[in-house]
Amino acid sequence: MRLAVWIALAACGDNLPAPDPLAPVTLVDTNPDPTIVEVSVVATTTRIAYLPETTAEAWAYRDGSVAGSQASVPGPLLEAHQGDHVIVHFRNELAEPTTIHWHGIRVPNASDGSEHTQQPVAPGDTFDYEFTAVDAGTFWYHPHARGDVQVEKGLYAPLIVHGGVEPAVDADRMFVLDDVKLAEDGELDDTIDDNDLKFGRQGNTLLVNGKVSPKLSARAGARERWRFVDAANSRFFNLSLPGHPFLVIGWDGGLIPEPYTTDSLLLGPGERYEVIVELDGEPNDSLVLQTLYYDRAPELHDPGPLDLMTIELGSPATALDPLPTEWAAFDPLPTDATSMQNLTLHEDPGPDGKTAFSINGQVYPDVTPIAAAKDALAVWTINDDVGMDHPFHLHGMFFQVIDIDGVPAEHRGWKDTAIVPRYKKLRFAVRYGEPGHWMFHCHILEHQERGMMGVLDVTTR
Ligand code: C2O
Ligand code: CU
Ligand code: CU
């Protein structure tokens, strides 16, 4: 029950960050125990106004503890502190079965939300998820049933676990990135053309926290922490705020040991990044966050830079404490593990014009699980032979990217989703986590749902 405290703090002084019009609604914690976060999430149908004067039928999450709460895209933010015990009471008000998967969170297997860990929650039914938030970082939750359809419809939401080093910032903002394909009448267009099938569905409308070209106000010269989630079915975002480099401080598995500066920040579906940005400029200046073309498949043409949102600078910020010099502790995993997995991602034009996606020639669900022992070290090599990039994701544990085609990874840290560039081999090291059935798949959801998925079976030695 920390929400009340935050609201009180935010109201009491001019040197505090201005309220964020894009800030997601936070799920209400109904448990008085400060170490337990107990929330209620409902998946329901609703109408969302993506464009002025039209609405689209959407499927979205709302807070089940708040009478009459509105479902939103993205859904309400789940906020916890490192070490908190999290209990989520889930109710499905959709007309089809669904689940919730806690992307990136190291959950007990029974709470992972995949079809290997639970029966999908039938319409009208409920399910309780429970986990301890062991890692601080930026995560998200989404269904693991008909993901390509359900996530596109609006079922996705951010999750923050606070903890670790807290840099002094003027604002800590969450930006969930997506795109939707809207028809003329403003409804979601659910047709899938050849490109959608091959490369994953790309929308015609870009969204930041469910909004088209939103405007944000910030102090001139402010230092802000921005957390990004790529929740799109297939779009890669290559973010740029011209003239304002990003200091990358964290990604999927939380803060990284050695932050680095970059002018453009690439996110594939499923990935998260945390950056510090200094909003240099004069009051009344406007800055525009853009996504630059990124060549993820040769057939997808270059539309030039696309605008995502505008930041309007107001009165100057006051100086903050310097940034920390120590960020996260980091133990590199050995990279000479004797247990090796080689996975080849492949695409086959299947019978009746249906493209099948496979890993090592196996099309999910017809796959042989990979057997593994808890705590054993392994090196996985993921290799694309389709000729396009794939964001490869592993449930239930983090890994460390070693190299891509032999070129050592430039930056170190824990990932759960990593982009395998086309025709290249990405190697990562992993120490197997908790026992259970853990999915791995391409996070281009059209690929995942058409076979590019497998299962890792971890057992206790
Ligand atoms: Cu975010 Cu198995 O997925
Ligand atoms: Cu996941
Ligand atoms: Cu893929």
Side-chain angles (χ1 to χ4, degrees), residues 390 442 444 447 452:
H390 304 271
C442 174
I444 291 179
H447 294 181
M452 200 176 274

Side-chain angles (χ1 to χ4, degrees), residues 242-316:
H244 297 75
F246 301 117
L247 176 70
V248 177
I249 59 167
W251 56 34
D252 304 356
L255 296 178
I256 57 173
E258 291 143 9
Y260 60 95
T261 300
T262 182
D263 288 328
S264 62
L265 177 68
L266 179 66
L267 284 89
E271 287 191 298
R272 288 89 62 214
Y273 278 87
E274 292 188 26
V275 302
I276 298 277
V277 58
E278 311 265 353
L279 299 174
D280 293 334
E282 300 298 321
N284 301 321
D285 282 359
S286 291
L287 313 178
V288 178
L289 180 74
Q290 300 181 315
T291 179
L292 309 177
Y293 174 64
Y294 169 72
D295 180 9
R296 71 177 178 95
E299 297 89 335
L300 293 175
H301 76 286
D302 177 0
L306 302 172
D307 291 356
L308 283 167
M309 70 174 176
T310 305
I311 299 101
E312 292 173 335
L313 300 183
S315 58

Side-chain angles (χ1 to χ4, degrees), residues 93-112:
E93 288 179 356
L94 303 171
E96 67 176 52
T98 189
T99 65
I100 300 184
H101 168 61
W102 311 94
H103 183 127
I105 299 272
R106 292 195 286 166
V107 295
N109 197 236
S111 284
D112 195 46

Side-chain angles (χ1 to χ4, degrees), residues 385-456:
D385 83 350
V386 181
M388 70 177 94
D389 289 22
H390 304 271
F392 184 87
H393 172 49
L394 173 61
H395 286 205
M397 59 209 83
F398 296 110
F399 53 78
Q400 296 173 2
V401 175
I402 304 168
D403 53 21
I404 295 175
D405 267 11
V407 180
E410 251 184 285
H411 307 291
R412 304 180 310 164
W414 294 103
K415 296 283 293 170
D416 55 58
T417 308
I419 297 172
V420 180
R422 66 171 185 265
Y423 293 132
K424 296 208 162 152
K425 283 181 169 44
L426 177 145
R427 291 198 311 150
F428 66 71
V430 60
R431 185 188 298 280
Y432 293 128
E434 289 308 302
H437 311 293
W438 303 105
M439 318 303 297
F440 53 84
H441 56 87
C442 174
H443 220 289
I444 291 179
L445 300 178
E446 284 72 17
H447 294 181
Q448 171 198 330
E449 294 295 336
R450 286 167 184 78
M452 200 176 274
M453 176 148 74
V455 191
L456 171 70

Side-chain angles (χ1 to χ4, degrees), residues 72-415:
S72 58
V73 178
L77 168 72
L78 173 47
E79 213 172 5
H81 288 73
Q82 195 170 16
D84 283 354
H85 192 70
V86 179
I87 303 167
V88 182
H89 305 289
F90 174 59
R91 190 165 73 247
N92 180 12
E93 288 179 356
L94 303 171
E96 67 176 52
T98 189
T99 65
I100 300 184
H101 168 61
W102 311 94
H103 183 127
I105 299 272
R106 292 195 286 166
V107 295
N109 197 236
S111 284
D112 195 46
S114 85
E115 60 266 55
H116 282 253
T117 61
Q118 71 171 101
Q119 266 310 79
V121 186
D125 275 4
T126 61
F127 190 88
D128 287 347
Y129 295 94
E130 214 169 321
F131 55 87
T132 298
V134 286
D135 304 295
T138 301
F139 307 96
W140 62 303
Y141 60 96
H142 64 75
H144 228 278
R146 293 222 303 151
D148 55 339
V149 174
Q150 296 196 357
V151 175
E152 178 68 13
K153 283 281 201 183
L155 291 166
Y156 61 84
L159 196 168
I160 295 176
V161 180
H162 297 279
V165 174
E166 291 283 352
V169 289
D170 291 296
D172 181 341
R173 309 189 199 253
M174 179 82 231
F175 297 122
V176 187
L177 309 174
D178 189 15
D179 61 350
V180 282
K181 195 164 146 187
L182 296 179
E184 298 253 306
D185 60 359
E187 292 285 351
L188 289 170
D189 177 351
D190 57 10
T191 58
I192 293 209
D193 63 25
D194 283 355
N195 269 7
D196 293 340
L197 187 57
K198 213 167 163 200
F199 308 113
R201 176 201 301 246
Q202 290 211 144
N204 52 17
T205 307
L206 302 181
L207 303 175
V208 180
N209 291 358
K211 308 238 168 6
V212 179
S213 304
K215 282 193 171 58
L216 197 71
S217 35
R219 296 284 173 86
R223 178 203 293 159
E224 300 202 346
R225 177 180 188 164
W226 290 358
R227 302 165 188 261
F228 293 105
V229 177
D230 183 346
N233 280 32
S234 83
R235 184 177 291 271
F236 288 48
F237 289 88
N238 192 17
L239 302 173
S240 156
L241 187 67
H244 297 75
F246 301 117
L247 176 70
V248 177
I249 59 167
W251 56 34
D252 304 356
L255 296 178
I256 57 173
E258 291 143 9
Y260 60 95
T261 300
T262 182
D263 288 328
S264 62
L265 177 68
L266 179 66
L267 284 89
E271 287 191 298
R272 288 89 62 214
Y273 278 87
E274 292 188 26
V275 302
I276 298 277
V277 58
E278 311 265 353
L279 299 174
D280 293 334
E282 300 298 321
N284 301 321
D285 282 359
S286 291
L287 313 178
V288 178
L289 180 74
Q290 300 181 315
T291 179
L292 309 177
Y293 174 64
Y294 169 72
D295 180 9
R296 71 177 178 95
E299 297 89 335
L300 293 175
H301 76 286
D302 177 0
L306 302 172
D307 291 356
L308 283 167
M309 70 174 176
T310 305
I311 299 101
E312 292 173 335
L313 300 183
S315 58
T318 46
L320 296 172
D321 285 347
L323 288 174
T325 48
E326 300 275 309
W327 290 85
F330 184 72
D331 276 327
L333 292 175
T335 57
D336 55 354
T338 49
S339 165
M340 299 289 196
Q341 292 298 333
N342 287 299
L343 307 185
T344 298
L345 311 179
H346 187 72
E347 173 183 341
D348 258 323
D352 27 284
K354 285 210 176 95
T355 308
F357 294 87
S358 59
I359 300 182
N360 286 355
Q362 301 188 326
V363 178
Y364 186 87
D366 300 320
V367 299
T368 315
I370 294 176
K374 177 173 164 27
D375 295 331
L377 283 165
V379 170
W380 288 31
T381 304
I382 322 293
N383 136 49
D384 163 70
D385 83 350
V386 181
M388 70 177 94
D389 289 22
H390 304 271
F392 184 87
H393 172 49
L394 173 61
H395 286 205
M397 59 209 83
F398 296 110
F399 53 78
Q400 296 173 2
V401 175
I402 304 168
D403 53 21
I404 295 175
D405 267 11
V407 180
E410 251 184 285
H411 307 291
R412 304 180 310 164
W414 294 103
K415 296 283 293 170

